Amino acid sequence: MVNVIWVMMALVGIVFAALNGTIREVNEAVFQSAKEAVTISIGMISVLVFWLGLMKIAEMSGLLSALARLCKPFVRRLFPEVPANHPALGYILSNMIANMFGLGNAATPLGIKAMEELKKLNGDRDTASRSMVTFLAINTSSITLIPATVISIRMTYHSASPGEIIGTTFVASLFSTIAAIMIDRWFYIRRRKKGG
Amino acid sequence: MQIVQLISLWLIPSIIAFVLLYGTYKRVPTYEAFVEGGKEGIQIAFSLIPYLVGMLVSIAIFRTSGALDYFIQFVKPLVDPFGLPSEVIPLAIIRPISGTASLGIVTDLIATYGPDSFIGRLASTIQGSTETTLYVLTVYFGAVGIRKMGDALKVGLLADAISFILSFFIVLLIFGR
């Protein structure tokens, strides 16, 4: 999918440039944007080093798992098919907390562990269970506290206040997670009515 | 609406203070842990370079050739009545499909319109507030061998659409145009 989009943008652009007479601009843009990409990646180092460093302290002090325990009663209600104290819940919670703090790399292995446990609960079938769909709905809309990459891009382009979008991002992601949970419920009820 | 801007201002300092206090209280070697975690940040930033170079070049060709403008003109009559800036439509389409591609588009929008413009703020919020649905589905289901995804894709994409519309209203409400 990504391959198709990537190739299409470049090829359509080049054909367009030929028809539009903008090939000179395209030539210039190729090297200019490559340079810009490197500048942005380098600019990200400062924010990423600081944030991931801080989050290492949070992880080692047990703060992240304490947060996960705190959210447990709430999350249990979202997964009625998962028995209380089942390890799946622990993995789901740690994954959600890691996502919240922008720790994508830490979140993925936890999410995969959660899926493994959910699959066991579903009798090892290769069909997605209700809990799996709910988990992915929450995961793909995940609540974001600190969008570190976006902040660093805004810094690179001299925003007067790079962090000003933290609030809007948090509120948007909170509401979209609630929406995702509701859509998930709605689809579940629809499946049940169809007898599936 | 003051409260949302207050969150933006206070969230990071509060998290820093809390994490450091809690770490010290739990007797974590805070400074060493920080350095350890920070090394990971360098790695992530460097490994991002080829992704971003590839995407930004492709987007730049698409934009400077005039193809992007053509596409935007095409969708403009569809979104104009709602007050949505048509410039962010490509971002809305790409966001659920590829994280690096959308990061490239966000960068491009911020560079073109400025980080503190309406489009810049909206693009920042959209990028931050949702995950790459298709990637998450592929990785999570793929890793444990689930072939029939059920309603997962539909639920994920619908949630993305809602998140996009919500981002628009919230940015409009907090910052205005």
Side-chain angles (χ1 to χ4, degrees):
Chain A
M1 193 69 163
V2 189
N3 293 310
V4 176
I5 295 170
W6 188 61
V7 170
M8 280 297 278
M9 279 196 297
L11 287 186
V12 170
I14 290 168
V15 171
F16 230 85
L19 299 173
N20 250 1
T22 45
I23 203 77
R24 200 175 296 275
E25 285 89 331
V26 167
N27 256 311
E28 209 176 292
V30 167
F31 296 103
Q32 191 59 43
S33 58
K35 201 175 149 192
E36 214 172 283
V38 176
T39 312
I40 291 159
S41 309
I42 302 291
M44 263 177 209
I45 294 179
S46 57
V47 174
L48 284 180
V49 165
F50 179 75
W51 192 246
L52 291 178
L54 196 68
M55 283 304 122
K56 194 74 181 179
I57 302 175
E59 189 196 315
M60 281 177 70
S61 61
L63 189 59
L64 293 185
S65 37
L67 261 177
R69 272 196 304 277
L70 213 68
C71 302
K72 196 170 177 179
F74 166 71
V75 172
R76 261 187 56 192
R77 305 191 51 162
L78 291 175
F79 297 93
E81 285 178 354
V82 180
N85 295 323
H86 192 274
L89 272 184
Y91 287 123
I92 290 173
L93 277 161
S94 327
N95 169 271
M96 283 166 69
I97 299 288
N99 260 334
M100 238 180 189
F101 286 94
L103 302 170
N105 281 21
T108 307
L110 291 167
I112 291 172
K113 287 298 280 185
M115 288 294 275
E116 275 172 7
E117 295 295 332
L118 290 178
K119 195 183 178 189
K120 275 185 217 158
L121 274 176
N122 197 30
D124 265 329
R125 271 169 291 188
D126 67 349
T127 318
S129 67
R130 177 191 175 188
S131 308
M132 288 179 184
V133 178
T134 308
F135 175 52
L136 286 187
I138 295 171
N139 197 297
T140 57
S141 62
S142 70
I143 296 174
T144 316
L145 275 181
I146 308 291
T149 5
V150 175
I151 294 175
S152 74
I153 293 175
R154 296 172 58 81
M155 267 169 56
T156 308
Y157 287 99
H158 312 293
S159 166
S161 170
E164 69 178 2
I165 44 83
I166 292 175
T168 51
T169 305
F170 172 70
V171 175
S173 66
L174 178 68
F175 281 117
S176 76
T177 302
I178 294 170
I181 292 168
M182 276 160 47
I183 295 169
D184 174 58
R185 274 288 146 101
W186 176 53
F187 269 90
Y188 171 70
I189 292 165
R190 228 179 53 156
R191 278 202 301 274
R192 280 249 310 245
K193 274 190 185 148
K194 271 198 270 179
Chain B
M1 284 311 119
Q2 207 79 61
I3 182 88
V4 178
Q5 274 166 343
L6 266 173
I7 293 177
S8 300
L9 201 61
W10 278 96
L11 191 60
I12 291 182
S14 324
I15 291 177
I16 294 173
F18 192 71
V19 168
L20 291 183
L21 274 174
Y22 196 81
T24 308
Y25 168 66
K26 289 280 173 184
R27 293 172 201 279
V28 172
T30 43
Y31 183 61
E32 280 134 56
F34 176 84
V35 172
E36 194 54 46
K39 285 178 188 159
E40 226 175 289
I42 303 180
Q43 230 171 27
I44 294 174
F46 271 102
S47 61
L48 202 63
I49 293 179
Y51 292 100
L52 219 50
V53 169
M55 277 305 163
L56 278 186
V57 169
S58 187
I59 293 165
I61 294 174
F62 193 68
R63 179 168 47 82
T64 48
S65 68
L68 182 64
D69 280 338
Y70 187 80
F71 176 77
I72 289 173
Q73 287 308 316
F74 192 73
V75 292
K76 207 173 175 58
L78 299 173
V79 294
D80 255 5
F82 305 99
L84 258 171
S86 43
E87 290 84 352
V88 298
I89 298 300
L91 175 62
I93 297 170
I94 302 290
R95 184 70 191 97
I97 300 168
S98 163
T100 43
S102 63
L103 192 63
I105 295 178
V106 168
T107 310
D108 202 63
L109 285 171
I110 288 178
T112 312
Y113 300 97
D116 301 328
S117 64
F118 181 67
I119 291 175
R121 285 166 172 158
L122 179 55
S124 306
T125 303
I126 293 170
Q127 176 71 16
S129 64
T130 110
E131 274 289 315
T132 314
T133 299
L134 240 57
Y135 169 82
V136 172
L137 251 60
T138 315
V139 170
Y140 284 15
F141 278 142
V144 297
I146 300 289
R147 275 181 205 84
K148 297 179 196 101
M149 295 193 187
D151 290 328
L153 183 64
K154 272 182 274 179
V155 174
L157 289 181
L158 261 174
D160 285 338
I162 289 176
S163 155
F164 171 72
I165 295 164
L166 278 172
S167 299
F168 169 67
F169 281 118
I170 290 162
V171 172
L172 194 65
L173 208 66
I174 303 295
F175 297 115
R177 284 210 182 251

